[in-house]
Amino acid sequence: MQDLATEFEAERGRLLAVAHRMLGSRSEAEDAVQETWLRYAGALADPDARAEIRDLSAWLTTICARICLDVLRSARVRREAYPGQWLPEPVVGPLDGGPPTGGYAPDPAERAVRTDQVGTALRVMLERLAPEQRLALVLHDVFAVPFARVADVLGTSEVAARQLASRARRAVTAPDAPRHTADPAEQRRVLAAFVAATESGELDPLLRVLAPDVVLIGDSGGHFPTARRPVVGADTVGRFTLGLFGRTGRYAQRTRTRPVLVDGVLGLHMETTHSDGRPIRLVTAFAVDGGRITGIFNQLNPEKLADLPPLGDDDRWPPRW
């Protein structure tokens, strides 16, 4: 059993990355990996059975993927009853991208999750996919699992698995999908302009940094008031933003802020206070394309931010870059 545990621990970080990308939830990903371990230990306690497995990594990936597929199918039903809009749990880390510090991403498995993040925008688009499409796209395009094995996971043909992945690619690159193509330098420039425009309290400077079709999505899990549908369009998103964080906005004078990486992309970790006195933690991710913001994703569901470290007295609005 000790040998089994050692072999499994060598694969845990990668399995967690696979499960997290497919499920969008750290807690659900951890549960899926733990269930993979239980099945592994149960099936392979017999040395003869263990000897029949030629590629342990591939076998574990297949088991984990099947577990995730079951979770995705049930999650679609659960999320239909979710209060308001749903966003995945953010993976938050320090700006330098180095070893996690200060409570951000504290363990090696979490670092494995962080290494393949390409922004919240893609993770949000993955939520549009049917479970089978999402699994085919993530396994093949992100983790380079051959379509033959993807087909085995899905219980379908290799041709059908290729078609599922192809449809998924078209969905995540649809015209209405928030586009993110900016490198770190452009992200920093655009977000600095966004913060400066917001702090000015003037709409026109903000419109210059927002794409005409920008979308804003907020997830509070029903704990705080948020728009129940995406806010779309530069003018609407701009006015909404100024109402919260502009010079005379609701939270402008009582907000702490620290620039962070959110799903590998520049974002903000904020803390403020609701009008009823309750503390609010907020992680905002951005999608940037062509020098403008195409997506703003506000995660303020406390159940999805429980592990964030507190901000300090020096973390003031506007943020220091």
Side-chain angles (χ1 to χ4, degrees):
M1 183 60 70
Q2 181 61 42
D3 289 341
L4 292 179
T6 300
E7 290 177 335
F8 186 84
E9 286 304 313
E11 298 288 335
R12 180 182 290 274
R14 188 184 56 81
L15 292 174
L16 182 59
V18 170
H20 188 271
R21 178 57 67 86
M22 282 199 278
L23 300 177
S25 163
R26 173 60 192 262
S27 59
E28 289 182 345
E30 289 177 333
D31 289 345
V33 172
Q34 183 61 23
E35 179 63 24
T36 302
W37 156 251
L38 293 175
R39 296 190 189 185
Y40 170 63
L44 302 185
D46 180 355
D48 293 335
R50 170 69 182 84
E52 294 178 1
I53 297 178
R54 299 179 181 179
D55 187 341
L56 177 62
S57 178
W59 187 89
L60 289 173
T61 300
T62 298
I63 297 300
C64 186
R66 287 173 177 162
I67 293 169
C68 289
L69 184 60
D70 290 340
V71 174
L72 282 173
R73 286 167 173 163
S74 63
R76 290 179 70 88
V77 176
R78 294 198 310 273
R79 288 172 190 166
E80 288 178 358
Y82 191 80
Q85 301 174 89
W86 188 93
L87 288 172
E89 296 175 12
V91 178
V92 183
L95 273 187
D96 60 13
T101 59
Y104 292 113
D107 59 66
E110 184 80 60
R111 288 197 290 273
V113 170
R114 292 180 61 226
T115 57
D116 78 319
Q117 296 301 318
V118 292
T120 306
L122 176 58
R123 297 182 66 200
V124 169
M125 294 309 298
L126 289 175
E127 292 301 316
R128 294 188 176 188
L129 305 178
E132 295 77 11
Q133 292 176 333
R134 181 167 181 165
L135 185 142
L137 181 70
V138 168
L139 286 185
H140 182 267
D141 287 21
V142 178
F143 295 99
V145 176
F147 275 120
R149 187 167 292 277
V150 175
D152 181 53
V153 173
L154 292 170
T156 189
S157 68
E158 187 172 342
V159 171
R162 288 179 181 274
Q163 290 175 340
L164 286 168
S166 178
R167 293 183 189 126
R169 290 187 206 103
R170 289 197 296 271
V172 299
T173 57
D176 63 338
R179 304 166 302 283
H180 180 74
T181 60
D183 61 21
E186 183 180 2
Q187 293 173 39
R188 187 180 292 265
R189 270 195 318 272
V190 171
L191 263 64
F194 170 80
V195 169
T198 301
E199 189 187 12
S200 76
E202 299 294 331
L203 181 61
D204 286 346
L206 198 52
L207 294 180
R208 288 194 287 270
V209 78
L210 297 175
D213 58 349
V214 62
V215 59
L216 183 149
I217 299 174
D219 175 358
S220 77
H223 292 276
F224 302 102
T226 53
R228 296 192 62 83
R229 295 184 179 181
V231 180
V232 181
D235 186 83
T236 308
V237 170
R239 294 180 186 278
F240 183 90
T241 300
L242 291 178
L244 295 178
F245 298 105
R247 187 176 297 276
T248 59
R250 184 182 306 170
Y251 300 119
Q253 305 304 317
R254 45 195 171 100
T255 297
R256 294 178 177 179
T257 314
R258 180 185 299 171
V260 291
L261 293 179
V262 185
D263 300 321
V265 175
L266 189 60
L268 297 172
H269 171 192
M270 293 184 275
E271 292 179 356
T272 187
T273 306
H274 192 264
S275 57
D276 62 10
R278 288 181 296 159
I280 298 177
R281 280 183 170 181
L282 171 65
V283 168
T284 299
F286 298 86
V288 178
D289 174 71
R292 291 188 170 187
I293 294 172
T294 62
I296 302 174
F297 310 98
N298 292 327
Q299 179 58 262
L300 59 158
N301 184 344
E303 297 173 8
K304 298 182 182 181
L305 303 176
D307 294 333
L308 283 182
L311 296 180
D313 291 337
D314 293 336
D315 296 315
R316 294 294 183 181
W317 178 268
R320 299 176 181 178
W321 301 95

